[in-house]
Amino acid sequence: MDQTIPELTLTPDLSETKPLVAEKAPAAPAAINEEMLSEAERRAVAEFADKLDLTDNQMILQYGAAAQKHVATFSEDALQSVRTKDMGEIGEALSDLVGELKGVDMTAPRRGLFRRAKDQITTLRAQYAKAETNVDKIVAVLEEHQVTLLKDIALLDQMYELNLKYYKELTMYILAGKKKLQEVRENEVAALRAKAEASGLQEDAQAYNDLANQCNRFEKKLHDLELTRMVSIQMGPQTRMLQNNDALMVEKIQSSLVNTIPLWKSQMVLSLGLEHSRAATEAQNAVTNMTNELLKKNAEMLRIGTTEAAREAERAIVDIETLQETNQKLIATLDEVVTIQNEGAQRRHAAEAELGRIEGELKQKLLELRG
């Protein structure tokens, strides 16, 4: 590891620093030459070049037209493939799938002690059944898209191979044409020019000018073929890009079908199992709580009954307080009896005295009557 200490300075160099990454050099222009052909293809080009007649206007007009038409048709087919493919519909189906998978609410409200477990399980099952129905519909749509995309991938493979063929065909047309054009300009055009300059005749000059114009027209035709060849070159990576996009969508659909949905179903099984377990646990907790409450109540009742029984057992038949109260009342009663007896004796004594007085008065009165 580099432990070099940075150099500190009070006079920094503020000149422009060198870039860390070197600038990319411009790409070298690609040249069309026979090195890109096989030996058999080179012989075919040479043989075809020998057949070309640059004085034939019809030949110049039709030169390479079939290959250009093939590329144009290929481009139209590729465009049609892109135009008829609705990736947005696939994305929408995948979004709907995610929405359905997230739609099952594991946190539904619960009510009551013994009803809540049953209600929760019933709610989960209903949500799962509804979601499963919608998921199955979305899966059917995704499977149809998957089949279509797989067919498109195979078709794009064929299109890519055809494009390679058209590209090679255009290359051979261009090389044969350039070969022939070089030969005509170096030989026939140069000879006609020399002849016209030597003879000074109008017809020789016209012949030279006509062939030179034909060469120019043919050179423009070759340039058109080069443009078409460039279109074909671009169609190669474009085709692969389309194919790669289709493959990515197929992989996404496949992942959803073989991973996401089974995992979701497994999650639902686990959720229902956990809910069953939680319901059993809640029931057990309720029983345990009830048992504890009953034990507590029984213990309290036993404590009260036992203490009351013990207290009653230790209690005398007659409370001392009761004896004290009855004794006081008995004493008071005796006192009252004595008082009453004394009062009765006094009243009797008084009555006896009064009776004696009354008897004396009666006797006195009787004596008075007799005298």
Side-chain angles (χ1 to χ4, degrees), residues 9 126 172 319 322:
T9 178
M172 294 176 69
D319 293 338
T322 302

Side-chain angles (χ1 to χ4, degrees), residues 44-54 56-69 168-181 214 217-226 228:
V45 166
E47 292 174 0
F48 186 71
D50 291 339
K51 299 177 183 179
L52 298 181
D53 181 8
L54 298 191
D56 186 350
N57 289 323
Q58 191 65 26
M59 187 278 297
I60 294 176
L61 289 174
Q62 298 296 327
Y63 188 76
Q68 287 181 307
K69 182 178 181 181
K168 183 59 68 69
E169 184 179 356
L170 285 166
T171 301
M172 294 176 69
Y173 270 116
I174 293 169
L175 289 173
K178 286 187 173 183
K179 186 178 184 66
K180 184 65 174 181
L181 181 62
Q214 289 291 88
R217 287 181 57 206
F218 190 64
E219 185 178 22
K220 292 178 181 179
K221 184 65 176 180
L222 294 179
H223 180 67
D224 287 343
L225 292 179
E226 289 179 345
T228 304

Side-chain angles (χ1 to χ4, degrees), residues 200-360:
L201 296 176
Q202 172 64 30
E203 55 268 26
D204 291 340
Q206 186 64 49
Y208 158 73
N209 188 64
D210 288 345
L211 185 56
N213 286 334
Q214 289 291 88
C215 289
N216 289 336
R217 287 181 57 206
F218 190 64
E219 185 178 22
K220 292 178 181 179
K221 184 65 176 180
L222 294 179
H223 180 67
D224 287 343
L225 292 179
E226 289 179 345
L227 294 178
T228 304
R229 177 178 176 274
M230 178 53 62
V231 172
S232 179
I233 291 175
Q234 293 176 346
M235 286 303 298
Q238 290 172 353
T239 302
R240 287 304 191 207
M241 288 175 62
L242 290 175
Q243 194 176 40
N244 184 61
N245 291 338
D246 288 351
L248 289 176
M249 292 307 301
V250 169
E251 291 171 358
K252 185 67 176 177
I253 293 173
Q254 186 71 10
S255 177
S256 298
L257 296 179
V258 302
N259 292 324
T260 305
I261 294 176
L263 285 175
W264 174 72
K265 291 184 178 180
S266 298
Q267 184 65 32
M268 285 304 307
V269 171
L270 291 175
S271 298
L272 289 172
L274 289 174
E275 195 58 36
H276 286 137
S277 176
R278 183 162 50 192
T281 302
E282 287 185 353
Q284 182 62 39
N285 287 338
V287 172
T288 300
N289 292 336
M290 183 63 69
T291 301
N292 289 333
E293 289 296 326
L294 290 175
L295 288 174
K296 290 178 181 178
K297 289 181 179 180
N298 289 339
E300 181 65 19
M301 292 175 62
L302 180 61
R303 183 189 68 79
I304 294 173
T306 301
T307 54
E308 289 182 353
R311 187 178 294 109
E312 189 64 27
E314 294 299 328
R315 183 180 179 185
I317 297 175
V318 179
D319 293 338
I320 188 64
E321 293 82 2
T322 302
L323 292 176
Q324 290 175 347
E325 183 179 353
T326 56
N327 189 60
Q328 291 296 329
K329 289 183 178 180
L330 179 59
I331 294 173
T333 301
L334 292 176
D335 289 340
E336 289 180 3
V337 169
V338 171
T339 300
I340 293 172
Q341 288 177 347
N342 290 333
E343 291 178 352
Q346 291 177 1
R347 285 194 297 271
R348 285 194 298 275
H349 288 298
E352 288 178 358
E354 183 66 24
L355 290 174
R357 187 188 65 77
I358 293 172
E359 183 178 358

